[in-house]
Amino acid sequence: MSAASAQAHGTSLPNTLSTLVSRGGLGSLYRGFSPAMAEHALNRGILFGLGSVIKKKLPESWAEPVRDAASGGGAALFKTVMLHPADTIKCRWQLGQPRSELGGLYQGFGPAAMRSSVGMAIWLSVRNALERALQPSDPAEGPLISYRQFISGATASVVTDLCTFPLDTLKKNLQAAPSSARLTMSEMVTRLFADGGFRRFFVGDKPRLVV
């Protein structure tokens, strides 16, 4: 919740938290919780389930990182097409917008599709490459497996978020724009850059990296 508000308003994390809590108490930090949980559950199911199916269909002659990237990117793009309306509703509820605002549910779809497909391709490629690189030479080193998976997954997530966070900021600002003041993608990029330069696209990155 705090990351979405910081991204949309361009405020620092402490100021964002202070404003949210003063206006609605701790409960304001859980706005949009129900659509977020529904979207997250379906999100993971589609990403890993469909991604696995796609990878099995790809030519085995392709390099493993290429198959990882292609299957992850394809599954993520399909996921975004299906779940973007739920993500838009979640974003608007987190920002305290009226729940009756149901127009333009595919607003921000362009950067969302790019972030999702490119991000999943990066994540799968980095994670799988790291897991293969950290594979213990001795099978008896079983306890190291969990550490290898944690390090690989965490590193892949950080790399992915750093690469795609500007697209997420652009997506959220397009989703949050009221129906009377919606902008095109290029207009929103210009507005955000004028508001704080390149750094404006990374406002809210710290809570995002933590989760």
Side-chain angles (χ1 to χ4, degrees):
M1 167 62 190
S2 57
S5 184
Q7 283 176 279
H9 301 300
T11 53
S12 66
L13 180 59
N15 288 340
T16 299
L17 287 172
S18 176
T19 300
L20 290 172
V21 173
S22 65
R23 289 179 179 177
L26 292 177
S28 63
L29 300 178
Y30 286 89
R31 288 177 188 159
F33 180 76
S34 53
M37 289 303 296
E39 191 265 344
H40 186 72
L42 292 171
N43 182 327
R44 295 303 158 187
I46 293 174
L47 281 179
F48 293 105
L50 182 59
S52 177
V53 171
I54 293 175
K55 186 172 181 178
K56 290 177 181 178
K57 301 288 185 181
L58 297 176
E60 293 188 5
S61 59
W62 289 11
E64 195 66 15
V66 175
R67 297 177 76 225
D68 291 336
S71 60
L77 181 59
F78 179 81
K79 178 270 298 184
T80 304
V81 172
M82 299 298 295
L83 300 181
H84 191 73
D87 186 61
T88 299
I89 291 172
K90 176 197 71 176
C91 178
R92 291 175 181 175
W93 286 9
Q94 286 178 327
L95 297 175
Q97 295 184 5
R99 298 196 174 194
S100 58
E101 178 60 69
L102 294 176
L105 293 182
Y106 274 92
Q107 190 77 8
F109 176 77
M114 286 188 285
R115 179 194 174 277
S116 184
S117 56
V118 173
M120 191 60 183
I122 294 172
W123 189 86
L124 267 181
S125 299
V126 173
R127 188 205 65 172
N128 291 353
L130 285 173
E131 284 203 348
R132 287 190 288 268
L134 297 173
Q135 182 75 32
S137 56
D138 184 355
E141 298 179 30
L144 292 177
I145 292 178
S146 58
Y147 294 104
R148 187 180 83 241
Q149 292 175 337
F150 173 79
I151 292 171
S152 301
T155 302
S157 295
V158 170
V159 171
T160 300
D161 279 339
L162 289 175
C163 292
T164 63
F165 198 82
L167 289 171
D168 193 55
T169 296
L170 179 58
K171 171 186 77 84
K172 282 188 170 64
N173 277 272
L174 287 168
Q175 288 174 313
S179 56
S180 59
R182 287 185 183 138
L183 303 175
T184 65
M185 194 189 313
S186 60
E187 289 171 339
M188 184 61 77
V189 168
T190 301
R191 197 195 79 175
L192 290 172
F193 193 82
D195 190 37
F198 187 66
R199 183 69 187 90
R200 174 64 182 85
F201 291 87
F202 283 91
V203 173
D205 59 343
K206 292 179 179 61
R208 178 58 181 266
L209 289 173
V210 171
V211 299

